[in-house]
Amino acid sequence: MNNNQNIFLNKKILIYGLGKSGLSAFEFLKNKCDVFLFDDSRLNIHKPNIKKKLLNLRTVLNLRFDKIIISPGIDIKNCKLSDFLKRNSYKIYSDLDIFYEFFKNTCITVTGTNGKSTTCKLLYEILLKQKKNVKLVGNIGFPILSVKNFNKNTIFVIEASSYQLENSKIFKSKYALILNISPDHIERHQTLNKYIAAKFKLLQSQKKGDISFVKKNDLLIKKKIQRDKLFGKIINVDTSQTKKILRHIRNEYFFSDANIENLSFVLAVSKILRLKRNILIKTIQNFKGLKFRQQTIFKNNRLTIINDSKSTSFSSSIGILKTKSNLFWILGGIHKKGDKFKLQKKYLKKIKAFIYGRDKSFFVNELKGKIKFENFKNLNDAFKRVFSQVKKNIGHQTILFSPCAASFDNFKNFEDRGHYFDNLVKKYFYGKKNKNI
């Protein structure tokens, strides 16, 4: 690339938000541009090179920048630089834009409301087993600009959130996946249409020869495609067809509708990439999933315990609710705006819910008249009640921790919440001599 054409090189740049994404952008750009830093929080910075570049609010407002790189966690409408960002919206870019401007590697980018992390991890493992040069990056926890040791042939599997895509201007992906769309992050995007628009930037940026994969018969996706002018080839992924290949797989992780859907997209991409079928099947067979995503943490002939702490909406839990009977469902936290509980009547009788957390009243109203439930002050009390119920019942039972809510009322994030649940299981099941369980 001609360095004079690079829109970031030698420019005066503000990086806003010093989480993983912001700090990786700084490390990448610090010797290529005149970079400055800002964060809404007071940070205890020890590294001299970062401390030197950290600006206060007044200084930021009095300076002129060529580009502004926003971390995904920054909400333009609700932050200290809100007015400043609105005036300079044309200067705002994401770390995905920086990566694309400098490298333009082949990317397989996955977005959607549910299943992004699982789909990305499975794709990554499959490509790795097929001897491909591949990196796993993005919202899954590895900022794209933090990656080392790659070349022009490296394939990047990217998990992209609506927050990242919302602020991206030039990023393009050779392969783009929209797994599904249901109401989510409305408190940030304000309307469902704006949330969908953020997701669809991934498809709108594609050029002729690029390929997108979308869920067939997803009404929200279908309507948006009919309205938009798109240049890439669109492949409609039919999740019902995946059940044929499941005959060759003995991996119970793919028994739920949600993970069958994730697998459907992976198979569709694998077909386009002409991957070897025998290695593909073997990799799927051995796939263990991700921590806190429908993760079985205990199982014997009487009881299964599943930690699905990553669940933040009803739609992310529906699939697994359908697959289990004699089910004790623990849920609660901070509900998602616009979320609705929609589960067919035939599944409701086999579920009993145990509700906890800040927004108990929301979950009570959603489940009232549909399934039996009890509500509790906190997760510990809810789990203690479930433990007492399980001890009394006969037959195989399932404890499902699938909160359908954000975790920030009591926990730092879903990982913190997941670890807490794991510890409750250890406390009540392993810390006591319960030979009958």
Side-chain angles (χ1 to χ4, degrees), residues 151-191:
N151 57 45
K152 64 180 182 180
N153 297 316
T154 303
I155 299 170
F156 283 77
V157 176
I158 305 171
E159 179 185 335
S161 69
S162 58
Y163 297 166
Q164 288 173 296
L165 295 172
E166 179 182 43
N167 293 318
S168 295
K169 285 186 168 63
I170 63 172
F171 174 72
K172 291 179 174 59
S173 185
K174 173 70 177 174
Y175 305 102
L177 286 65
I178 300 185
L179 305 180
N180 47 61
I181 292 182
S182 58
D184 200 8
H185 302 306
I186 305 303
E187 67 284 349
R188 164 108 170 227
H189 294 289
Q190 297 183 313
T191 68

Side-chain angles (χ1 to χ4, degrees), residues 55-76:
L55 304 179
N56 60 39
L57 180 61
R58 179 176 293 183
T59 304
V60 170
L61 296 177
N62 287 322
L63 289 177
R64 183 180 180 86
F65 300 95
D66 298 308
K67 310 291 178 188
I68 303 169
I69 310 302
I70 291 193
S71 294
I74 300 297
D75 181 357
I76 292 175

Side-chain angles (χ1 to χ4, degrees), residues 69-98:
I69 310 302
I70 291 193
S71 294
I74 300 297
D75 181 357
I76 292 175
K77 297 175 290 297
N78 185 27
C79 63
K80 289 186 177 180
L81 293 181
S82 183
D83 292 337
F84 174 81
L85 294 175
K86 288 172 185 177
R87 291 196 306 271
N88 293 278
S89 60
Y90 64 99
K91 298 179 181 179
I92 295 174
Y93 293 84
S94 71
D95 60 344
L96 293 177
D97 293 324
I98 298 171

